[in-house]
């Protein structure tokens, strides 16, 4: 395939220029101005659009195994491709939890089905059954494909167990992901353990000014810690709960405007590493329950590119791309994140073309998003995984 006429933005390679990209046999084969199509080569007109390394969402709940009414690998990966993601890392809060080599192997076997539209990287549990009591064979799990370890929404409460997890998982080189619910105290505890055990850590969905500042300070003083944000914490506040009740329920909860503004400033200052989604699909019935019993979380894959551009319209394009590609790929230690010759042919093409979110048209089974009905300024044009076109938007490339 030949991508013609686009603006190639590859921050890891320091490239921002009008360049064509040739893909062959699953890899980037050639980059240059005005490449001529070769016989039999498929071409994609990217004039007016940005051609970027494939986006990687490092925080997705795919619900496999165990919850096919909420999402499947086919629907979740199709939602990812529509959202411009060529790869997603999936959380272990499944049934059973992703806590053994056999369960990881089963997931990765299903992920090879041709129906699955993007690469799937499992995040394994930190403890047996995510119950916070028993450590696991981290080296074995990493060898089986785990890109990180997390107990997801049930973070390890016992400090001694958490320390044991850190010391045993450290040699894998894979990060521990703190998916804190009671955010500020848990982030503080984990940053202390990261320092004491010299273990690589990642703080998922940072949502408060206090946590963002704590991560930045830890990093300044030598702790190996990275962090991500979600689009909903940058844009919405607890006001939304008053308006929408259970439909606005998410963890960590939506905060005040001061926190949302502080997070946007943290991104601008370069203190946040990755744009994630925390894609958390549920059935419509589970979201419609009264607030106390409503399911927590939003579907995020199909709005992320537009939502982040909406939240941070002034963010330089190279930073925007890095937050979605090079940075999460580096944090997870997975291939991609660049389009230099020889890299995987994972490409996201997007354009500054306004569109209106219509959740009823989502590929995801989850339809609950606070962005529903909003006009967003940036849209995905095409998603290419290992050289195959997995999504192509209808209509012209640019506005
Ligand atoms: Zn999550």
């Amino acid at each position: 395939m030949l991508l013609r006429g686009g603006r190639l933005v590859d921050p890891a390679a320091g490239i921002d220029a009008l360049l064509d990209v040739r893909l062959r046999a699953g890899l980037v084969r050639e980059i240059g101005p005005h490449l001529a199509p070769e016989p039999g080569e498929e071409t994609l007109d990217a004039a007016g659009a940005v051609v970027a390394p494939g986006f990687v969402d490092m925080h997705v709940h795919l619900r496999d195994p165990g919850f096919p009414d909420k999402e499947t690998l086919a629907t979740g990966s199709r939602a990812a491709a529509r959202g411009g993601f060529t790869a997603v890392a999936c959380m272990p809060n499944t049934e059973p939890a992703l806590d053994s080599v056999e369960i990881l192997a089963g997931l990765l076997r299903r992920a090879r089905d041709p129906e699955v539209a993007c690469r799937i990287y499992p995040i394994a549990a930190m403890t047996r059954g995510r119950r916070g009591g028993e450590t696991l064979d981290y080296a074995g799990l990493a060898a089986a494909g785990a890109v990180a370890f997390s107990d997801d929404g049930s973070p390890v409460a016992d400090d001694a167990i958490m320390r044991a997890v850190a010391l045993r998982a450290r040699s894998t080189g894979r990060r521990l992901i703190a998916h804190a619910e009671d955010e500020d105290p848990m982030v503080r505890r984990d940053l202390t353990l990261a320092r004491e055990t010299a273990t690589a850590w990642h703080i998922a969905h940072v949502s408060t000014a206090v946590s963002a500042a704590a991560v930045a300070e830890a990093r300044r003083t030598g702790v190996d810690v990275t962090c991500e944000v979600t689009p909903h914490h940058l844009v919405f506040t607890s006001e939304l709960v008053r308006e929408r009740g259970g439909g606005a329920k998410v963890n960590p909860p939506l905060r005040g405007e001061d926190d949302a503004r502080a997070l946007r400033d943290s991104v601008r200052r370069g203190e946040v590493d990755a744009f994630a989604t925390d894609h958390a699909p549920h059935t419509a019935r589970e979201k419609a329950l009264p607030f106390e019993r409503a399911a927590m979380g939003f579907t995020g894959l199909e709005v992320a590119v537009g939502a982040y551009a909406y939240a941070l319209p002034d963010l330089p394009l190279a930073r925007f791309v890095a937050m979605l590609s090079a940075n999460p790929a580096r944090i997870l230690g997975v291939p991609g994140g660049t389009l230099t010759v020889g890299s995987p042919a994972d490409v996201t093409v997007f354009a500054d073309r306004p569109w209106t979110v219509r959740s009823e048209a989502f590929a995801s089974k989850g339809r609950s998003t606070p962005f529903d009905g909003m006009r967003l300024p940036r849209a995905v044009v095409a998603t290419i995984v290992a050289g195959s076109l997995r999504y192509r938007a209808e209509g012209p490339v640019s506005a």
Side-chain angles (χ1 to χ4, degrees):
M1 186 186 294
L2 181 62
L3 307 179
R4 303 181 80 184
R7 173 178 171 189
L8 176 62
V9 176
D10 183 349
I15 297 172
D16 182 347
L18 287 173
L19 289 168
D20 296 347
V21 179
R22 173 167 284 130
L23 311 175
R24 178 85 49 87
L27 300 174
V28 178
R29 174 68 171 270
E30 189 179 6
I31 292 171
H34 310 296
L35 298 179
E38 293 182 353
E41 197 169 49
E42 190 182 346
T43 61
L44 192 145
D45 176 15
V50 173
V51 174
F55 291 170
V56 178
D57 187 348
M58 61 175 304
H59 187 165
V60 169
H61 299 270
L62 283 179
R63 311 304 191 198
D64 178 297
F67 304 97
D69 290 350
K70 293 176 189 278
E71 197 77 292
T72 65
L73 295 188
T75 58
S77 64
R78 221 158 43 230
R82 290 173 63 121
F85 294 101
T86 58
V88 300
C90 58
M91 280 288 177
N93 63 331
T94 50
E95 187 54 50
L98 305 181
D99 67 356
S100 76
V101 167
E102 292 70 28
I103 292 166
L104 285 190
L107 176 73
L108 289 171
R109 194 176 332 108
R110 293 191 295 285
R112 284 196 295 273
D113 187 291
E115 284 283 288
V116 174
C118 71
R119 299 180 198 266
I120 309 272
Y121 296 120
I123 296 165
M126 282 178 180
T127 63
R128 180 79 55 210
R130 301 192 304 113
R131 287 189 293 272
E134 189 187 336
T135 59
L136 301 170
D137 168 19
Y138 304 107
L141 290 165
V147 294
F149 302 102
S150 179
D151 268 358
D152 194 74
S154 318
V156 177
D158 186 305
D159 294 356
I161 302 277
M162 193 62 239
R163 180 184 298 272
V165 170
L167 292 172
R168 287 172 197 175
R170 185 172 58 186
S171 62
T172 66
R174 298 303 192 183
R175 277 179 198 273
L176 302 183
I177 299 182
H179 188 282
E181 305 289 298
D182 181 12
E183 183 172 322
D184 294 338
M186 193 61 90
V187 166
R188 205 174 315 118
R189 190 273 312 254
D190 281 9
L191 292 173
T192 302
L193 282 175
R195 184 188 307 280
E196 288 173 5
T197 62
T199 304
W201 229 278
H202 175 80
I203 311 296
H205 46 42
V206 170
S207 72
T208 68
V210 168
S211 284
V215 171
E217 174 61 18
R219 194 179 349 220
R220 264 194 297 276
T221 55
V223 176
D224 184 359
V225 59
T226 54
C227 71
E228 73 191 29
V229 288
T230 73
H232 44 271
H233 290 117
L234 299 184
V235 172
F236 297 102
T237 66
S238 49
E239 278 296 307
L240 195 73
V241 177
R242 256 189 285 276
E243 277 172 41
R244 303 200 192 170
K249 194 170 166 188
V250 67
N251 222 333
L254 298 173
R255 313 282 184 182
E257 178 52 32
D258 287 354
D259 280 317
R261 188 182 317 110
L263 289 179
R264 296 193 297 268
D265 288 342
S266 293
V267 173
R268 292 189 187 99
R269 284 196 301 270
E271 294 171 356
V272 174
D273 300 277
F275 284 157
T277 66
D278 194 10
H279 177 79
H282 294 286
T283 63
R285 192 181 50 77
E286 293 164 311
K287 286 301 286 183
L289 290 169
F291 191 81
E292 290 69 29
R293 288 188 294 134
M296 262 180 306
F298 304 137
T299 180
L301 287 165
E302 288 162 86
V303 300
V305 164
Y308 276 117
Y310 175 91
L312 292 152
D314 52 339
L315 196 70
L317 202 52
R319 288 278 309 290
F320 180 88
V321 169
M323 299 284 285
L324 283 159
S325 60
N327 295 2
R330 189 187 63 239
I331 291 167
L332 296 172
V334 299
T338 180
L339 289 175
T340 49
V341 171
S343 303
D346 292 2
V347 186
T348 301
V349 183
F350 64 90
D352 285 336
R353 181 177 69 184
W355 61 291
T356 302
V357 180
R358 298 270 175 248
S359 67
E360 71 272 12
F362 282 174
S364 172
K365 291 190 176 189
R367 302 287 157 82
S368 178
T369 165
F371 291 98
D372 199 15
M374 286 175 64
R375 193 111 178 118
L376 301 180
R378 189 165 286 167
V380 177
V381 171
T383 307
I384 298 162
V385 181
S388 306
L389 187 65
R390 300 313 296 250
Y391 172 68
R392 173 77 169 91
E394 289 163 22
V397 166
S398 51

